[in-house]
Amino acid sequence: MSDQEFTRTLGYANAAFDLLKRSGIPPYPQFYELLYTYATGVNPSLNNRINTIFRSGTVPSADLAETLYNEFLKSDVNDRMSSVSERMHARIEAVHEAIDSAMTTANAYSGSLQSATGDLERDLSGDDMRLLATRLLSETRRMQDTNRQLEIKLEASREDIAALQRDLDDVRRESMLDSLTKIANRKSFDEGLEDAIREADKSRGPLSLILLDIDHFKNFNDTYGHQTGDQVLRLVAMTLKSNIKGKDLAARYGGEEFVAVLPSTDLEGAVIVAENVRKAIQAKELLKRSTNEKLGRITASFGVATFNSSDNAMSFIERADRCLYAAKHAGRNRVVSETELVEIDEIPAKGVSAA
């Protein structure tokens, strides 16, 4: 973890503990997670609800915190996964029961045939032969009925299992998307970056990383409200996603930070992509939908790094984060690559913060 990321994370933690203390809520792990998530701003729905509670003057309590935790953070993905698993188990059990029933009928039919074989070895009267034929015909029809029922159940099970598989795929896709921006979430990014690193190690091909942060987003959010802030986040996410292609991965890294993983792209190419995204974001004029009020333009700062053989995921991200931090201190709304770090470090900060 870079110094900048450590500082940000520590700030979120301190804010969470301060909220717990001021609200008189016990610092249980789930309540800390609730307010830490609120401090980061990564769950806009949660933030809107808590802000509404604060504005209403409602006295916070452990019961209220528990309700919010269950509603917003207690993962329903696991519940849905369990539901699908239970349905899958029930369907498999039904198939087993149908097969067992068919096996029992088949064994009984086989016994009837063996018995009939023994009867045929004896001299039978015409009446006995007719009775034997009638019995065998009845057994055969019963066997046919059982087979038809088994076919129906197996076909139904095949369709159910196919539907369950689609449900599982949907749950997995949802678990990998950021709920607000509908691009990949942090979990999806972590997995995607590891996959890209393995592929780069194997192919010896280039791999680059872009880390971007919306400039002055907190001030914008405080001035125009969280709903407008959410629109900005969605705008930046879609702009980033529309400027990458192929195996590239766009993800929300956390809060107002986004990241792009660019396999088969060298540092020069990644800088071009970052510049295109930067210009596209700056070119969009924001309009408040409810009032048609012009809110001006937003900008973002970018850090770009390329993978080398000594890197792991953490060191790779940290280098991109240092580039982003340098871009902030160099005046924001610019792209800094790792080759520029020394040059940027020599420029006086002149009181520019990294917000």
Side-chain angles (χ1 to χ4, degrees), residues 34-55 72 221 226 230:
L34 178 74
L35 292 177
Y36 182 91
T37 304
Y38 171 77
T40 64
V42 299
N43 190 325
S45 298
L46 170 65
N47 281 45
N48 288 338
R49 178 67 65 80
I50 291 180
N51 289 336
T52 300
I53 291 171
F54 285 158
R55 285 194 296 267
F72 290 97
N221 221 25
H226 291 286
D230 291 349

Side-chain angles (χ1 to χ4, degrees), residues 80 84 87-88 158-174:
R80 290 180 60 190
V84 172
R87 287 159 56 200
M88 184 78 78
R158 185 186 69 80
E159 294 174 358
D160 285 351
I161 289 173
L164 289 169
Q165 183 62 54
R166 290 192 294 271
D167 287 348
L168 283 173
D169 292 341
D170 289 344
V171 171
R172 185 180 186 281
R173 277 194 296 271
E174 288 178 21

Side-chain angles (χ1 to χ4, degrees), residues 22 29 44-45 51 59 61 66 76 95 112 114 138 145 162 174 177 201 204 208 210 222 243-244 306 329 332 344 354:
R22 286 194 288 115
S45 298
N51 289 336
V59 179
S61 66
E66 185 74 34
D76 66 340
V95 170
S112 296
Q114 290 178 356
S138 175
D145 288 342
E174 288 178 21
L177 289 180
D201 279 333
R204 302 300 179 187
S208 296
I210 298 174
D222 292 343
N243 278 274
I244 63 175
T306 193
H329 277 275
R332 300 185 181 85
I344 297 299

Side-chain angles (χ1 to χ4, degrees), residues 80-99:
R80 290 180 60 190
M81 192 74 77
S82 297
S83 174
V84 172
S85 178
E86 289 173 4
R87 287 159 56 200
M88 184 78 78
H89 178 74
R91 176 49 60 190
I92 291 173
E93 284 294 315
V95 170
H96 285 167
E97 289 176 4
I99 292 174

Side-chain angles (χ1 to χ4, degrees), residues 275-341:
E275 276 291 350
N276 290 339
V277 176
R278 185 190 67 79
K279 292 175 182 176
I281 291 173
Q282 186 181 18
K284 299 182 187 299
E285 186 170 21
L286 299 174
L287 191 68
K288 192 170 185 178
R289 294 176 181 174
S290 58
T291 62
N292 287 328
E293 175 188 1
K294 291 183 179 180
L295 307 181
R297 302 178 190 274
I298 57 169
T299 62
S301 301
F302 296 73
V304 185
T306 193
F307 182 75
N308 61 60
S309 58
S310 63
D311 270 328
N312 55 33
M314 182 177 293
S315 64
F316 193 17
I317 295 170
E318 285 180 353
R319 198 160 61 255
D321 194 42
R322 288 200 301 274
C323 294
L324 171 60
Y325 195 70
K328 290 285 187 181
H329 277 275
R332 300 185 181 85
N333 189 25
R334 64 170 295 167
V335 176
V336 172
S337 72
E338 59 185 59
T339 58
E340 301 174 83
L341 274 178

Side-chain angles (χ1 to χ4, degrees), residues 104-162:
T104 299
T105 303
N107 289 334
Y109 184 63
S110 176
S112 296
L113 291 179
Q114 290 178 356
S115 175
T117 299
D119 290 339
L120 289 171
E121 291 175 353
R122 299 183 289 106
D123 291 331
L124 297 175
S125 65
D127 289 341
D128 289 338
M129 285 293 291
R130 281 191 295 272
L131 288 173
L132 178 60
T134 300
R135 178 163 59 86
L136 287 176
L137 180 60
S138 175
E139 294 287 344
T140 300
R141 286 173 177 168
R142 189 160 73 91
M143 185 67 189
Q144 289 174 336
D145 288 342
T146 300
N147 286 339
R148 276 195 296 270
Q149 291 300 317
L150 178 60
E151 289 174 3
I152 292 171
K153 290 179 179 179
L154 289 176
E155 178 61 23
S157 296
R158 185 186 69 80
E159 294 174 358
D160 285 351
I161 289 173

